[in-house]
Amino acid sequence: MSFINYSSREINCKIVYYGPGLCGKTTNLQYVYAKTNPDAKGKMISLATETERTLFFDFLPLSLGEIRGFKTRFHLYTVPGQVFYDASRKLILKGVDGVVFVADSQIERMEANLESVENLRVNLAEHGYDLDRIPYVVQYNKRDLPNAATVDELRRLLNLRGVPDFEAVAPTGVGVFDTLKAVAKLVLQELKKGR
Amino acid sequence: MHPQMVMYEEEFQQVAGLCDRLTREANARCVFVIDKNGQLISASGDTGQLDTTSLASLTAGNIAATGGLAKLLGEKEFSILFHEGERDNLHISIVGGRVILVVIFDHRSSLGLVRLRVKKASEDLARVFDELARKAEQPGTQPTAFAEITDDDIDNLFSD
Ligand SMILES: Nc1nc2c(ncn2[C@@H]2O[C@H](COP(=O)(O)OP(=O)(O)OP(=O)(O)O)[C@@H](O)[C@H]2O)c(=O)[nH]1
Ligand SMILES: [Mg+2]
């Protein structure tokens, strides 16, 4: 649920990075954080376990600039990917405006990817959202690994809707900003429609 | 189905005024109003060194987690949370089921005083947010500024 403040002339949107455990959601945010000007970002918060697995969420506030005199702010969140944190994942999706699904390209993670998309669909539905309608992009991460499946195969399994999709290597930033820009654009277009 | 939250100048000033009053009357260090999705709506008092954006997001996460716990126990929600620190204390409450009111106070105030003042302020704030919700539901009052943005406007945001 975007928040338009006519008084401070700000528009706030919430974007959630979803995907199976260890697929690289937190790494995406870390890269965005590292490469963004200090004046355009707030502090990155990571509620993580001692082994750096996301426990509740990561949070990164970004300012993208102005549209028609309104400051656009995006709040990026990641969910914890491990299966047993489902209750937390559900909470993070509340009020979401756009979703990035980060897939792990490794062949042996295909089932985990599929389960996670299904889990996303169910959890969105609990909040009254439809995965087939919400602003949504898919990222095929870990393209650098030798055991990565082909993009065609990933696309066939994970992007039936044909939304914008991107190949990525999150630690080096390949595809990270393309993914973010694409989802931000979809969110703003949705706002324009006035839903 | 998911109307966006909109804040207008008039209500914004009312909320800010109520926060200022609560800060004064409760002898608080500062007062925040935050929406349940973690966006800061209003801040008052000595907020200088505080990272208010982080505060808003963590508070909303806290409320969301506690709300999840409440559901597990068959409660509707826990409407008040209180965290006691060595220097500062945190009083968090849900207003009108819609927004979160945070009061930070130290030894110059007390839990009893904060509770009392929060109760009154909550009623007043709830009225403002009810009015906003009512406005948002009326057809034709939806803001139009965003209907006029073009694809170029959006593209320009990303041209760097
Ligand atoms: N080789 C390679 N490693 C990656 C890539 N992206 C992330 N990693 C590594 O994968 C591990 C897990 O990344 P995270 O970003 O923590 O994964 P996550 O999706 O946040 O995991 P959870 O918090 O458990 O849901 C880290 O060691 C990353 O460095 C990639 O594109 N290629
Ligand atoms: Mg993580």
Side-chain angles (χ1 to χ4, degrees):
Chain A
M1 182 175 64
S2 53
F3 173 27
I4 302 181
N5 192 330
Y6 278 83
S7 182
S8 55
R9 302 195 74 74
E10 278 176 19
I11 153 111
N12 287 287
C13 305
K14 175 171 179 176
I15 291 173
V16 174
Y17 285 68
Y18 213 91
L22 297 177
C23 67
K25 302 174 290 295
T26 298
T27 311
N28 263 270
L29 258 64
Q30 285 167 339
Y31 187 82
V32 171
Y33 181 78
K35 294 294 170 185
T36 305
N37 287 331
D39 54 341
K41 69 187 174 194
K43 220 168 125 194
M44 177 163 167
I45 293 175
S46 291
L47 302 181
T49 66
E50 282 174 0
T51 56
E52 303 206 346
R53 304 296 300 270
T54 303
L55 179 62
F56 194 6
F57 58 76
D58 300 299
F59 168 69
L60 174 59
L62 285 183
S63 304
L64 277 189
E66 288 198 2
I67 289 192
R68 304 254 165 149
F70 277 80
K71 283 175 241 148
T72 56
R73 289 188 206 283
F74 284 83
H75 288 179
L76 312 187
Y77 284 84
T78 72
V79 298
Q82 294 181 85
V83 173
F84 59 90
Y85 288 136
D86 195 41
S88 304
R89 268 195 298 281
K90 227 174 264 176
L91 295 175
I92 307 302
L93 281 177
K94 188 157 182 280
V96 67
D97 293 300
V99 177
V100 174
F101 184 82
V102 181
D104 191 326
S105 293
Q106 299 176 90
I107 291 171
E108 52 269 44
R109 295 300 284 162
M110 207 56 80
E111 208 175 316
N113 288 327
L114 286 165
E115 268 174 24
S116 182
V117 177
E118 201 38 46
N119 176 253
L120 169 62
R121 182 178 292 284
V122 169
N123 284 342
L124 280 174
E126 283 204 14
H127 291 290
Y129 299 106
D130 182 349
L131 179 60
D132 295 328
R133 292 184 176 199
I134 193 166
Y136 182 52
V137 304
V138 177
Q139 179 187 79
Y140 311 118
N141 191 33
K142 305 202 179 180
R143 296 309 299 162
D144 58 318
L145 294 179
N147 51 344
T150 65
V151 170
D152 277 349
E153 188 171 2
L154 286 158
R155 190 171 275 148
R156 191 169 51 75
L157 288 168
L158 301 171
N159 190 7
L160 299 171
R161 192 181 141 191
V163 298
D165 54 4
F166 303 89
E167 296 184 50
V169 184
T172 58
V174 176
V176 169
F177 275 97
D178 292 338
T179 306
L180 173 59
K181 284 177 186 177
V183 73
K185 211 166 151 172
L186 291 178
V187 167
L188 291 171
Q189 279 164 354
E190 190 71 15
L191 260 188
K192 182 184 153 183
K193 280 191 241 158
R195 68 201 60 200
Chain B
M1 178 174 46
H2 286 276
Q4 63 211 17
M5 165 128 165
V6 174
M7 177 61 79
Y8 301 99
E9 183 66 27
E10 186 188 348
E11 283 81 8
F12 186 76
Q13 294 304 341
Q14 288 172 3
V15 172
L18 289 169
C19 286
D20 285 342
R21 196 184 75 195
L22 179 58
T23 308
R24 264 194 328 272
E25 292 186 349
N27 267 340
R29 255 191 70 198
C30 42
V31 168
F32 300 91
V33 174
I34 296 163
D35 92 341
K36 277 190 163 181
N37 299 322
Q39 282 144 357
L40 183 67
I41 297 172
S42 189
S44 166
D46 171 23
T47 57
Q49 314 101 306
L50 271 171
D51 178 348
T52 52
T53 309
S54 300
L55 183 132
S57 156
L58 287 173
T59 304
N62 196 345
I63 284 287
T66 317
L69 283 174
K71 253 197 201 155
L72 278 182
L73 298 178
E75 288 281 337
K76 200 168 127 266
E77 64 186 6
F78 294 117
S79 52
I80 294 180
L81 305 179
F82 177 59
H83 299 296
E84 189 173 349
E86 278 180 7
R87 203 188 56 222
D88 289 316
N89 310 297
L90 201 54
H91 187 282
I92 305 177
S93 53
I94 301 176
V95 173
R98 292 180 215 278
V99 293
I100 305 169
L101 177 61
V102 180
V103 180
I104 301 179
F105 64 96
D106 57 22
H107 65 275
R108 288 170 294 180
S109 184
S110 69
L111 180 56
L113 179 65
V114 169
R115 270 215 177 119
L116 186 72
R117 300 304 190 212
V118 160
K119 203 167 165 212
K120 171 79 174 87
S122 295
E123 287 165 10
D124 296 340
L125 282 169
R127 235 171 279 138
V128 179
F129 284 99
D130 283 349
E131 174 61 20
L132 271 177
R134 206 184 52 77
K135 271 192 189 174
E137 273 163 22
Q138 276 170 9
T141 56
Q142 279 296 324
T144 52
F146 273 80
E148 286 154 25
I149 62 172
T150 61
D151 286 348
D152 281 348
D153 287 334
I154 295 175
D155 283 333
N156 285 338
L157 204 55
F158 299 106
S159 58
D160 41 31

